Amino acid sequence: MSRIQIIEPKTPRLQLRQWTPGDRDAFAAMSVDPRVMEYFPSTLTRTESDAIAETCEALIAERGWGVWAVELLKIGEFIGMTGLHIPSAEVPYSPCVEILWRFSRPQWGNGYATEAAAAALTVGFKQLAIQEIVSFAAVNNHRSRAVMERINMVDSGETFEHPEIPESSPLREHCLYKFSVERWWRAVVW
């Protein structure tokens, strides 16, 4: 039986890596911050936060890639998560691979989400040969939409009701961005 090779991309400032038990406290702190979780239905309990981290870790161990913990190299600490995910919910273009990110509030405004997302796209398109990567967010989540545009994703102009968001929530309507491997090869060399 062959061992799965874990992909852990590195940028000049960031290490995208497998999760460790030491990441749990920082991720839990991020998950209770109402500003970080503003475009999610609610903040997370410690149990919910730990379950997400464990799932991310297990999927990376199984496939070699996924939603990585992001470590800021200059301090050697967890600052967020970024990666590629196969959504379980039925969303437009399912089955699909989505790119996502979430960072602790003190790290906002430093370009880390853009830098980490660019590294994840490189893995997806260059190493994994994925043909298209999507991203979606609540339509009024302008910070995430700005990252999508900085990494050259294209707004499809389509919106959809996210099936995992309650019908009464103002966050239910999501926008959809796409990025094809052909466009990536033409437009981006990271």
Side-chain angles (χ1 to χ4, degrees), residues 8 24 32 38 49 51 54 65 90 95 107 120 135 144 184:
E8 294 183 309
R24 302 293 194 269
V32 296
E38 180 178 4
S49 174
E54 289 163 15
W65 58 274
E90 281 296 316
Q107 306 308 327
S135 191
S144 281
W184 181 82

Side-chain angles (χ1 to χ4, degrees), residues 84-151:
L84 304 171
H85 176 66
I86 300 171
S88 56
E90 281 296 316
V91 295
Y93 300 99
S94 287
C96 59
V97 175
E98 80 169 300
I99 186 167
L100 56 87
W101 48 84
R102 190 181 320 160
F103 284 83
S104 65
R105 194 164 21 126
Q107 306 308 327
W108 291 3
N110 294 303
Y112 298 140
T114 301
E115 187 173 327
L121 287 171
T122 298
V123 169
F125 290 134
K126 195 171 183 181
Q127 290 182 257
L128 303 175
I130 296 169
Q131 295 302 299
E132 182 175 68
I133 296 175
V134 301
S135 191
F136 40 86
V139 293
N140 59 344
N141 185 343
H142 300 292
R143 288 189 305 268
S144 281
R145 293 181 77 165
V147 173
M148 293 173 199
E149 290 168 12
R150 281 193 296 272
I151 59 175

Side-chain angles (χ1 to χ4, degrees), residues 29-82:
M30 211 174 81
S31 299
V32 296
D33 183 326
R35 287 286 312 280
V36 172
M37 301 301 288
E38 180 178 4
Y39 295 102
F40 292 87
S42 66
T43 57
L44 302 177
T45 65
R46 179 61 189 249
T47 301
E48 291 167 331
S49 174
D50 285 350
I52 289 171
E54 289 163 15
T55 298
C56 291
E57 183 178 351
L59 289 171
I60 291 170
E62 177 185 315
R63 295 189 300 234
W65 58 274
V67 179
W68 294 280
V70 178
E71 180 179 307
L72 183 57
L73 292 170
K74 73 178 178 182
I75 61 171
E77 293 178 10
F78 174 93
I79 62 166
M81 66 182 199
T82 300

